[in-house]
Amino acid sequence: QVQLVESGGGLAQAGGSLRLSCTASGSFFSINKMGWFRQAAGKERELVAIITSGGSTNYPDSVKGRFTISRDNAKNTVLLQMNSLKPEDTAVYYCNVEVSFLRSKYNYWGQGTQVTVSS
């Protein structure tokens, strides 16, 4: 079992910045992909950023150039630096990790943290 603890959400003005953090703990051999997703009211959950164990990253066009994902493998932590925030970035942000344990891979979600951007 893996637990994900998220922090860093809150209220920001348009053009401002926020940083999200997610730390994994529990039983696993290694963490593969780590990522952030978001879900705005009335919309489907969408990918915001993902980073592989090797450090490769991927972003959708909607956040590219504004958001940066990074990870600290020693602390089992993934960070999301969000700059130049827009009102349309308002959503609940979820951390997601894929771990390897006993020759299998498992996917876990964080509890979600609210990000609200005012215009």
Side-chain angles (χ1 to χ4, degrees), residues 35-91:
W36 291 94
F37 290 71
R38 67 186 180 188
Q39 187 166 18
K43 295 188 177 181
E44 293 186 352
R45 192 172 296 189
E46 63 177 2
L47 173 69
V48 175
I50 195 165
I51 185 167
T52 68
S53 57
S56 297
T57 59
N58 190 39
Y59 307 91
D61 289 342
S62 58
V63 306
K64 196 173 293 183
R66 300 188 298 120
F67 291 9
T68 302
I69 190 170
S70 61
R71 61 191 284 172
D72 184 335
N73 291 327
K75 297 180 179 180
N76 295 327
T77 296
V78 60
L79 303 172
L80 183 68
Q81 179 66 42
M82 304 184 292
N83 298 328
S84 302
L85 284 163
K86 304 176 180 180
E88 50 263 44
D89 293 321
T90 296

